[in-house]
Amino acid sequence: MAPPVPAPGPEVIASAAYTQGRDKVEVPLAELGAHLGRRDGLLWVGLKDPTPETLALAAGQLGLAPQVIEELQAPHRRPKILDFGSEVLVVAITVEVAGDRPAFGETQLLIGNDFLLTVRRGATANHHEVRSRLEKLPAQLARGADFVASELLDLLIDRYVAAARQFEAGVEAVEQKLMLRGLNNTEIRKLYRLRRDLLRTHTLVAPLAEICRRLSRVEMHPIDAQSRPYYGEVADRVLRVDELFNSLREALAFAFEAGLMIGQAQQTDTTRRLAAWAAILAVPTAIAGVYGMNFKVMPELEWTFGYPVVMAVMFGICGALYRGFRKAGWL
């Protein structure tokens, strides 16, 4: 009776061997090498935030060259592709939005002839969705590691789309506040932060399109000719999602311009009101200033109706100015 397979540690998300997409067998990292080179076999290993020792154990069992191990252990800040001849390493950046701020992680896909090694760092979302779906479709799983890698990249694009929707909700909220209240310090800071996050997301997502184009056009040993069209479709999806991120950045730019225009219109309206009231109040101020001079000889000083007439003149002129400014839309 075979000894029980030890439960994988928290770093090993999954480690299984398939034959023609079926007959799933859980494989410990220390026994990966025994499942390589089998006809119609696929070894699929998933690691999350592995320690150097765990990664070295898996790499040693897979027979990876030192330069491949070095790239797997090194952190990457941008997407990249490396062709090592018998293996192809694809590095993609993950985007997950928590609240209104994005969190960026890294997913490495090492595609071999009969194995696929995935290494996730900083990404919380797993690949269980793709693994469960392909296990129910053995004919697709039997296509090999290159096809499975294209499905994982497609899942990554789905998460880009989800992140874009969350960004869109944040952009709409900022637009509404700008339209209702105009610009204030809090909204300006939030708008700047959103634009910066969208720009950073664009710089991390856009290179993946060219990587997928290369996988679809350039001959690489682990990538079968029948799997290349799938990478072309993934590249098209990346471009569409990247356009969505760019459109959100433009929407924020338009919202900022609209907020500035609203603020300028409010300032202009306030300036007009102040100017109109200043013109109205200048009339009684001038007349009262003249009669406030301590001269003995002044017009109508001894006349009984002098005071009412002067007050009537002041109110009449002020009323005429008020009507004129009101009609002009200044008040």
Side-chain angles (χ1 to χ4, degrees):
M1 184 175 179
V5 177
E11 304 166 90
V12 183
I13 303 302
S15 178
Y18 303 87
T19 302
Q20 294 183 348
R22 299 180 176 87
D23 303 329
K24 179 180 177 180
V25 178
E26 299 292 339
V27 182
L29 292 187
E31 301 177 9
L32 294 178
H35 292 267
L36 292 176
R38 296 186 178 183
R39 185 177 181 182
D40 298 328
L42 171 63
L43 185 61
W44 187 355
V45 181
L47 305 178
K48 181 180 185 299
D49 297 321
T51 62
E53 294 76 16
T54 300
L55 191 56
L57 174 61
Q61 288 292 316
L62 296 175
L64 302 180
Q67 61 267 29
V68 181
I69 300 175
E70 182 180 352
E71 284 294 334
L72 287 172
Q73 292 178 341
H76 301 88
R77 298 187 179 274
R78 291 179 62 85
K80 66 187 301 184
I81 180 173
L82 295 170
D83 185 3
F84 295 103
S86 57
E87 299 92 17
V88 172
L89 176 63
V90 178
V91 179
I93 304 300
T94 60
V95 181
E96 298 169 332
V97 180
D100 59 348
R101 299 304 308 275
F104 301 100
E106 172 191 338
T107 295
Q108 298 177 345
L109 306 176
L110 184 64
I111 308 170
N113 292 321
D114 52 0
F115 71 87
L116 175 64
L117 173 63
T118 64
V119 180
R120 292 188 291 121
R121 293 187 178 91
T124 58
N126 55 40
H127 304 150
H128 180 72
E129 176 184 345
V130 172
R131 187 182 293 270
S132 298
R133 177 169 58 83
L134 291 180
E135 286 178 351
K136 297 176 182 178
L137 301 171
Q140 294 189 8
L141 189 57
R143 293 182 181 180
D146 49 357
F147 174 78
V148 176
S150 69
E151 291 290 308
L152 292 176
L153 290 173
D154 194 63
L155 175 66
L156 190 63
I157 308 309
D158 290 338
R159 291 170 181 168
Y160 287 166
V161 174
R165 289 175 180 170
Q166 291 180 274
F167 272 126
E168 187 175 10
V171 170
E172 290 177 355
V174 171
E175 285 179 330
Q176 291 177 357
K177 291 180 180 178
L178 287 176
M179 293 303 174
L180 292 175
R181 298 195 294 266
L183 292 173
N184 56 51
N185 291 338
T186 301
E187 299 306 326
I188 290 176
R189 291 190 183 96
K190 189 171 182 179
L191 186 148
Y192 171 76
R193 188 172 63 244
L194 264 175
R195 290 200 67 185
R196 183 187 60 187
D197 291 340
L198 286 169
L199 177 61
R200 186 180 178 190
T201 303
H202 160 71
T203 59
L204 296 177
V205 168
L208 187 59
E210 183 58 33
I211 289 174
C212 293
R213 288 289 183 206
R214 183 177 175 186
L215 288 168
S216 67
R217 295 174 180 174
V218 179
E219 292 187 5
M220 299 182 187
H221 189 264
I223 309 298
D224 190 83
Q226 296 179 351
S227 297
R228 291 176 194 159
Y230 296 107
Y231 290 99
E233 295 177 4
V234 173
D236 293 336
R237 292 198 63 198
V238 175
L239 290 176
R240 289 194 294 269
V241 174
D242 188 47
E243 289 175 359
L244 180 56
F245 286 123
N246 285 330
S247 66
L248 291 176
R249 287 176 56 216
E250 292 179 1
L252 282 178
F254 293 150
F256 181 72
E257 292 176 1
L260 285 178
M261 292 172 62
I262 292 173
Q264 290 174 356
Q266 292 175 345
Q267 290 178 359
T268 301
D269 185 62
T270 301
T271 303
R272 286 178 177 179
R273 290 177 182 273
L274 292 175
W277 284 113
I280 293 172
L281 295 176
V283 175
T285 301
I287 296 176
V290 171
Y291 278 90
M293 299 178 184
N294 296 321
F295 291 110
K296 292 183 178 181
V297 181
M298 293 188 69
E300 313 299 344
L301 280 179
E302 303 297 331
W303 187 31
T304 304
F305 299 101
Y307 178 77
V309 169
V310 171
M311 295 300 294
V313 170
M314 286 193 297
F315 281 112
I317 296 175
C318 290
L321 288 173
Y322 180 84
R323 288 187 58 189
F325 286 127
R326 184 81 173 178
K327 187 176 181 180
W330 284 39
L331 290 175

